[in-house]
């Protein structure tokens, strides 16, 4: 019989919590936030009316009204469509983004038995190495790692899975028996192809600097593998975060990622107001799934940017046992134990809460930025898009990899 | 520079590459196109984001422009310290319509409260939407021949052109109520009857019937 902590540590439990506790609500709220924010940017007020009795909440309840509307709307399937593929396409669009969340570390490791205590240095060292504490060096305790799968090829998994989401759009266009939907699907796949190369290459520099593909390791150590800024608290030093060492990679990745989410200024595949996109034949909840997938993708892209470039769940200078400035690592047994430099020791639960909240805050800020971009920039033409993807982003990404590799090589023999 | 050795004074404006020998005002100039320099759209993107972020922040954090009229404690806020939102929140706030706004029809009344309409059939004749139905009957008054037994306007068909008001010779029908057509659940309810339009009516100051003074004798410029 597994204990409650073991059950909580199961990937399925964590996925349920992440998908239905964080991602779905955030994506649903984004459907409201996007309209409200765009209104605010255009000197309008936006939707502020949906209410349950006297509860108005500035219109946040609009997302419930939207969901109810989409569920109860007629699910119209035109004649001549390929019924199987037509039904499959929204699932193919939605499922990969939910699966890809498995690699994102959305919080630190929690030691439930130490929850209300202050961790001692040995436990902090175990925390850094993800060792479940045992009786020999600390109190026996379980640990819950707030990451669904910690796999060595981490972000490669993300590229592999998110490419599958592209099939959703293409198959939707193909199955709709509509030439405009088909053209939209083709535009979608051509855009994905021209941006995924640059997208993968723009993160390559980050992999080189951190020496890791695993997002958890990137969060915990930052660029310290190359620059050795501050070993005692490598991940929580904002100077170790990759926005400082990979600014070009950050810009390239953000650009490619917005193209990946198929939103303005790269919304050529769907083009809500003018162009007919690949889901023109969809209605009701099937269309809602495409819609939701798009917003979940925004959350996911934000989570990836936060994880790779902005230190993930790290709060600046917050170690597992409190705020720490300076300090160094000391060899105790087989472990490197951080010593000295502490200014504000904090209990474990407060640290966990702050780090979890920091991740959420960073993700929300980046979602805000993506909405800002979507409502600021006009749409690119198809040829401008291809030029940007192949002639600008790709060479820049390649150059970024070359320069980063050179810096890494020099740092190894410095 | 000139190809014939003239020195060209470079002032503010486009760069002059060459000047014709035949006429000094025929020149070749070089036009600078800023869009040619920034094909990566980076500067333009940053500028655009700056503008939208400025608007967003201003509208999010500053109080509404119409705050003074809406707030219960009407502390005035300087115009500069308010946001740019123009939205009128309709049921609570209403804009003042212009004086000549054409709203729902009304039928004007005489001094005794009877309808002014003499069923001359001008308005149903001129109505382009054929939305006015008048059934005339004989009037009680000696100076007025007819009056409407039925006067109905189908507000769903009305195109709000105001020609009926223009055509009316005796100020009987007006569209100056400032009201919108009421929302209805049944098409039959959108038909305005004589009674409903008379309920909105007021007494007109215009004289009616043959007993009043002639306008020509009381006019200020009788020479016309």
């Amino acid at each position: 019989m597994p204990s409650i902590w073991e059950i909580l540590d199961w990937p399925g439990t964590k996925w349920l919590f992440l998908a239905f506790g964080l991602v779905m609500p955030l994506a649903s709220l984004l459907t409201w936030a996007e309209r409200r924010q765009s209104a605010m940017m255009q000197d309008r007020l936006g939707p502020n009316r949906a209410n349950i009795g006297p509860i108005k909440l500035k219109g946040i309840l609009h997302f419930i009204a939207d969901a109810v509307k989409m569920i109860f709307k007629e699910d119209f399937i035109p004649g001549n469509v390929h019924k199987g593929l037509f039904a499959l396409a929204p699932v193919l669009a939605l499922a990969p983004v939910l699966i890809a969340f498995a690699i994102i570390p959305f919080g630190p490791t929690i030691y439930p038995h130490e929850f209300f205590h202050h961790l001692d240095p040995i436990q902090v060292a175990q925390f850094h190495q993800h060792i479940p504490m045992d009786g020999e060096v600390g109190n026996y305790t379980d640990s819950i790692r707030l990451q669904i799968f910690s796999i060595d090829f981490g972000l490669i998994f993300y590229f592999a899975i998110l490419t599958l989401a592209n099939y959703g759009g293409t198959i939707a266009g193909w199955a709709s028996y509509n030439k405009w939907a088909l053209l939209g699907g083709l535009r979608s796949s051509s855009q994905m192809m021209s941006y995924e190369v640059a997208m993968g290459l723009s993160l390559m520099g980050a992999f080189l600097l951190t020496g890791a593909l695993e997002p958890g390791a990137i969060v915990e150590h930052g660029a310290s593998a190359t620059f050795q800024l501050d070993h005692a608290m490598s991940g929580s030093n904002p100077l170790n975060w990759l926005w400082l060492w990979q600014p070009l990679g950050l810009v390239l990745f953000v650009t490619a990622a917005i193209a990946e989410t198929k939103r303005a200024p790269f919304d050529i595949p769907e083009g809500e107001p003018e162009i007919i996109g690949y889901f023109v034949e969809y209605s009701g909840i099937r269309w809602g799934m495409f819609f939701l997938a798009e917003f979940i993708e925004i959350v996911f892209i934000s989570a990836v940017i936060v994880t790779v470039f902005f230190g993930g769940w790290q709060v600046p200078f917050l170690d597992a046992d409190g705020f720490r400035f300076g300090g160094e690592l000391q060899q105790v047994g087989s472990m490197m134990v951080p010593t000295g430099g502490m200014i504000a020791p904090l209990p474990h639960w407060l640290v966990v809460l702050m780090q979890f909240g920091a991740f959420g805050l960073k993700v929300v800020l980046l979602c805000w930025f993506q909405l800002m971009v979507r409502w600021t920039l006009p749409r690119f033409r198809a040829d401008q898009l291809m030029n940007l993807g192949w002639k600008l982003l790709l060479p820049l990404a390649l150059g970024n990899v070359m320069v980063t590799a050179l810096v890494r090589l020099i740092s190894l023999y410095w | 520079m000139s190809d014939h050795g003239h020195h060209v004074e470079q002032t503010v404006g486009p760069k002059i590459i060459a000047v014709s020998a035949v006429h000094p005002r025929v020149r070749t100039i070089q036009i600078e196109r800023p869009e040619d320099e920034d094909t990566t759209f980076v500067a333009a993107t940053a500028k655009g984001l700056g503008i939208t972020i400025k608007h967003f922040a201003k509208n999010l954090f500053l109080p509404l422009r119409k705050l003074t009229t809406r707030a219960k404690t009407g502390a005035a806020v300087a115009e500069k310290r308010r946001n740019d939102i123009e939205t009128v929140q309709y049921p609570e706030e209403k804009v003042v319509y212009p004086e000549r706004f054409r709203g729902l029809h009304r039928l004007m009344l005489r001094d005794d409260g009877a309808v002014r309409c003499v069923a001359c059939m001008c308005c149903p004749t001129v109505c382009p939407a054929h939305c006015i139905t008048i059934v005339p009957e004989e009037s009680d008054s000696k100076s007025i021949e007819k009056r409407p037994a039925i006067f109905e306007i189908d507000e769903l068909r009305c195109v709000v052109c105001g020609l009926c008001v223009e055509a009316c010779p005796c100020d009987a029908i007006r569209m100056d109520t400032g009201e919108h057509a009421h929302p209805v659940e049944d098409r039959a309810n959108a038909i305005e009857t004589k009674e409903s339009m008379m309920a909105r009516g007021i007494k007109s100051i215009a004289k009616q019937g043959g007993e009043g003074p002639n306008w020509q004798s009381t006019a200020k410029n009788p020479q016309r």
Side-chain angles (χ1 to χ4, degrees), chain A residues 40 43 45 48-49 368 376, chain B residues 52 55-56 59 87 89 92:
Chain A
M40 288 293 199
D43 294 345
L45 218 43
N48 61 350
R49 288 299 160 125
W368 170 84
T376 299
Chain B
T52 44
H55 274 264
F56 179 70
N59 293 333
T87 307
Q89 306 204 52
E92 293 95 32

Side-chain angles (χ1 to χ4, degrees), chain B residues 102-164:
Chain B
R102 294 196 286 264
L104 271 184
H105 302 82
R106 64 175 172 181
L107 287 177
M108 304 296 282
L109 309 176
R110 285 183 209 148
D111 291 343
D112 58 356
V115 68
R116 281 180 73 87
C117 176
V118 294
C120 71
M121 309 301 273
C122 276
C123 55
T125 307
V126 77
C127 180
H130 302 296
C131 65
I132 305 178
T133 307
I134 298 178
V135 175
E137 66 182 2
E138 202 162 313
S139 168
D140 298 335
S141 168
K142 285 188 176 162
S143 60
I144 298 167
E145 194 178 329
K146 292 190 289 180
R147 69 181 179 200
I150 294 172
F151 194 118
E152 286 178 353
I153 298 182
D154 188 347
E155 295 290 346
L156 289 179
R157 298 190 66 170
C158 175
V159 295
V160 208
C161 64
L163 285 181
C164 49

Side-chain angles (χ1 to χ4, degrees), chain A residues 22-52:
Chain A
L22 282 179
V23 176
M24 291 284 214
L26 188 53
S28 313
L29 279 179
L30 276 179
T31 62
W32 164 80
E34 170 155 85
R35 281 175 285 166
R36 200 71 207 272
Q37 184 179 337
S38 65
M40 288 293 199
M41 287 160 58
Q42 298 163 354
D43 294 345
R44 296 182 289 115
L45 218 43
N48 61 350
R49 288 299 160 125
N51 56 343
I52 299 176

Side-chain angles (χ1 to χ4, degrees), chain B:
Chain B
M1 292 299 108
S2 160
D3 42 5
H4 291 284
H6 303 294
H7 180 70
V8 179
E9 286 291 324
Q10 187 71 55
T11 52
V12 185
K15 190 183 173 190
I16 299 164
I17 299 169
V19 179
S20 163
V22 180
H23 197 288
R25 284 177 64 188
V26 178
R27 296 170 300 182
T28 309
I29 58 171
Q30 183 168 14
I31 297 172
E32 285 177 17
R33 297 183 193 278
E35 65 266 28
D36 288 344
E37 293 166 11
D38 183 24
T39 49
T40 59
F41 314 107
V42 173
T45 301
K47 189 180 170 193
L49 279 173
I51 291 172
T52 44
I53 287 176
K54 200 175 78 187
H55 274 264
F56 179 70
K58 189 175 182 189
N59 293 333
L60 188 67
F61 294 117
L62 293 186
L64 275 172
R65 184 186 291 184
K66 286 161 288 198
L67 189 76
T68 40
T69 54
R70 207 183 294 155
K72 279 160 192 157
T73 62
V77 182
E79 191 68 34
K80 235 200 291 186
R81 299 285 303 152
R82 291 181 216 161
N83 64 24
D84 293 335
I85 286 175
E86 300 283 357
T87 307
V88 176
Q89 306 204 52
Y90 171 63
E92 293 95 32
E93 298 171 8
K94 285 172 182 168
V95 292
V96 179
Y97 289 130
E99 210 175 316
R100 294 183 62 182
F101 173 81
R102 294 196 286 264
L104 271 184
H105 302 82
R106 64 175 172 181
L107 287 177
M108 304 296 282
L109 309 176
R110 285 183 209 148
D111 291 343
D112 58 356
V115 68
R116 281 180 73 87
C117 176
V118 294
C120 71
M121 309 301 273
C122 276
C123 55
T125 307
V126 77
C127 180
H130 302 296
C131 65
I132 305 178
T133 307
I134 298 178
V135 175
E137 66 182 2
E138 202 162 313
S139 168
D140 298 335
S141 168
K142 285 188 176 162
S143 60
I144 298 167
E145 194 178 329
K146 292 190 289 180
R147 69 181 179 200
I150 294 172
F151 194 118
E152 286 178 353
I153 298 182
D154 188 347
E155 295 290 346
L156 289 179
R157 298 190 66 170
C158 175
V159 295
V160 208
C161 64
L163 285 181
C164 49
V165 182
E166 300 289 329
C168 186
C170 50
D171 191 26
I173 184 166
R174 285 195 192 175
M175 297 179 75
D176 59 355
T177 48
E179 282 179 53
H180 297 276
H182 299 303
V184 290
E185 292 192 349
D186 193 340
R187 277 161 192 253
N189 295 338
I191 295 173
E192 290 284 337
T193 61
K194 184 172 83 173
E195 288 73 27
S196 70
M197 285 189 285
M198 279 171 72
R200 283 192 287 271
I202 54 169
K203 285 170 187 166
S204 172
I205 56 161
K207 291 289 179 192
Q208 193 171 26
E211 289 147 13
N214 190 341
W215 68 271
Q216 283 170 323
S217 63
T218 55
K220 283 179 181 170
N221 293 319
Q223 72 268 24
R224 282 185 72 191

